[in-house]
Amino acid sequence: MTPDDLDIRRAVDSDATATADLWLRSFTAALPTVRRAHDDDAVRGWFTHVVVPHHETWVAVSGEAGVVGLLVLDGGDLEQLYLDPSWRGRGLGDRFVELAKRQRPEGLGLWTFQVNAPAQRFYERHGFVEAERTDGRRNEEREPDVRYVWRPEKD
């Protein structure tokens, strides 16, 4: 299936478990050295009771594969962007960032872990600039992170 065959839409309550499972697969593949702060059941509960019902959550759904991408916007932050590992490098992340920018035309911020160099390159390619680095004391994983911001260009 190609990225053109995807349905990108707002998540509904029935997407919560599949979305959590995608997050778990993606986090494990992309961040193998980062300690997860919560076990699988807690992550599923968080998606079911907090993320999907209370945040602007978007999913990419591909036929038989199901949910293959996730975007969560929380206020002015791009809170989560995770892709199924088999869907990386196929333009889906680009589509999600374009969607996020359309939804938040005034600008966006986000955090990513310092060990996640591919994510940093991805966001920089999309016009995000580094604004802050921390030692990780403020995140649950206790992992050094970096804040990026995107502001639209003025005409």
Side-chain angles (χ1 to χ4, degrees):
M1 188 164 275
T2 68
D4 291 334
D5 297 327
L6 289 174
D7 180 24
I8 296 178
R9 60 170 172 76
R10 287 290 296 267
V12 296
D13 290 346
S14 61
D15 294 318
T17 299
T19 303
D21 289 342
L22 163 75
W23 186 96
L24 290 164
R25 284 192 311 277
S26 182
F27 191 99
T28 299
L31 300 164
T33 64
V34 175
R35 178 191 71 83
R36 279 197 7 235
H38 304 282
D39 68 19
D40 292 4
D41 288 339
V43 169
R44 288 184 186 102
W46 176 58
F47 272 90
T48 299
H49 301 294
V50 178
V51 176
V52 172
H54 299 292
H55 297 286
E56 184 176 339
T57 304
W58 294 83
V59 291
V61 181
S62 170
E64 293 178 15
V67 174
V68 296
L70 158 72
L71 169 70
V72 179
L73 300 173
D74 183 10
D77 277 346
L78 191 162
E79 189 68 27
Q80 308 281 332
L81 196 166
Y82 285 90
L83 306 178
D84 186 273
S86 68
W87 279 81
R88 287 198 188 133
R90 296 169 67 177
L92 179 53
D94 299 333
R95 290 174 67 181
F96 270 139
V97 169
E98 290 166 13
L99 171 61
K101 288 178 176 181
R102 284 194 309 272
Q103 294 297 112
R104 301 296 188 275
E106 67 283 355
L108 287 163
L110 64 88
W111 289 95
T112 190
F113 296 118
Q114 290 181 27
V115 298
N116 196 350
Q120 292 173 49
R121 287 189 302 272
F122 172 81
Y123 291 120
E124 289 168 3
R125 193 173 76 242
H126 285 281
F128 286 79
V129 295
E130 184 178 322
E132 176 183 8
R133 284 183 178 256
T134 79
D135 60 7
R137 283 188 218 166
R138 293 184 297 190
N139 65 53
E140 292 182 308
E141 295 80 7
R142 301 294 182 248
E143 182 73 30
D145 54 6
V146 56
R147 176 122 178 115
Y148 279 91
V149 295
W150 167 78
R151 298 289 178 250
E153 293 183 18
K154 302 287 184 195
D155 292 334

